Amino acid sequence: MIIGAKIAACRKRAGMSQEKLANELNISRQAVSRWETGEAVPDTEKVIQLSRIFHVTTDYLLLDIDEAPQSAAPAENNRETEQRAAEKRMKRQSLRMHFGWFLLIFGIISLSATLVGAGLYAQTLTEWWTILGRYGTALFDSWILAPFIVSAALTLCGILILIREYIFIGKE
């Protein structure tokens, strides 16, 4: 079986017209007709595109082998698969954005609570050991430093996630 006959058989199996195949390949319908009649042969790039559209190997199209193609699924299935993949990407991106907002808000709230706690603790101190005064001593020379660092890290992570997601919207 020559390449033209294989293209015609795969096109018919996929339920495509010559016009539709030509549109997908960005060529004229007459070029597809010439391929199928054997008047012309597609170039390498078009053979690769044909193998992807018809879900067959390039070997099947080019070589004189009569084994059945890998799959004769119509091009609509390929579009549905691409659409599902795009929906999954959008859902993952939405989840990452929500997670970024959660981290940012939770980080700011916990940072505020830590600073308020440090202020309340500073009021109970009668002496301090840093040049920052009571408040600096309460914040940096006590257990309050750990929640302060964690809440600052959460806030920073939220900011970084949101920056990444908003910069790369639609580029994925």
Side-chain angles (χ1 to χ4, degrees):
M1 189 183 265
I2 61 171
I3 188 168
K6 289 180 182 180
I7 292 172
C10 287
R11 178 182 58 77
K12 289 174 185 171
R13 199 174 300 124
M16 297 176 77
S17 65
Q18 286 182 345
E19 185 78 32
K20 187 174 180 184
L21 179 59
N23 287 339
E24 287 203 29
L25 295 171
N26 295 321
I27 58 172
S28 68
R29 184 198 57 78
Q30 290 81 6
V32 174
S33 177
R34 284 194 303 269
W35 294 347
E36 290 181 357
T37 59
E39 294 175 28
V41 179
D43 63 5
T44 309
E45 181 182 320
K46 298 301 181 198
V47 171
I48 293 170
Q49 287 177 330
L50 286 167
S51 72
R52 289 181 181 152
I53 290 170
F54 297 137
H55 303 284
V56 296
T57 62
T58 53
D59 284 351
Y60 172 76
L61 291 173
L62 295 172
L63 301 178
D64 192 23
I65 52 177
D66 288 330
E67 57 187 59
Q70 295 172 353
S71 167
E76 285 77 31
N77 287 346
N78 194 18
R79 284 193 197 99
E80 289 173 10
T81 304
E82 289 174 7
Q83 187 177 13
R84 279 194 298 261
E87 288 172 3
K88 276 185 170 180
R89 282 192 304 271
M90 291 299 291
K91 186 175 182 179
R92 281 193 307 263
Q93 185 174 31
S94 175
L95 287 172
R96 286 190 303 262
M97 290 172 82
H98 283 89
F99 183 66
W101 279 110
F102 169 77
L103 285 179
L104 179 64
I105 292 168
F106 185 75
I108 289 172
I109 290 171
S110 62
L111 192 58
S112 301
T114 303
L115 293 175
V116 168
L120 293 174
Y121 180 62
Q123 291 176 354
T124 64
L125 291 177
T126 56
E127 54 186 58
W128 50 87
W129 302 276
T130 67
I131 59 173
L132 299 175
R134 272 187 208 187
Y135 194 75
T137 301
L139 187 59
F140 296 112
D141 282 347
S142 69
W143 58 270
I144 297 176
L145 183 60
F148 176 77
I149 291 172
V150 169
S151 58
L154 287 174
T155 305
L156 183 62
C157 287
I159 290 170
L160 293 175
I161 288 171
L162 289 173
I163 287 173
R164 180 198 178 273
E165 292 307 315
Y166 279 107
I167 287 176
F168 294 111
I169 286 179
K171 293 183 181 178
E172 194 174 288

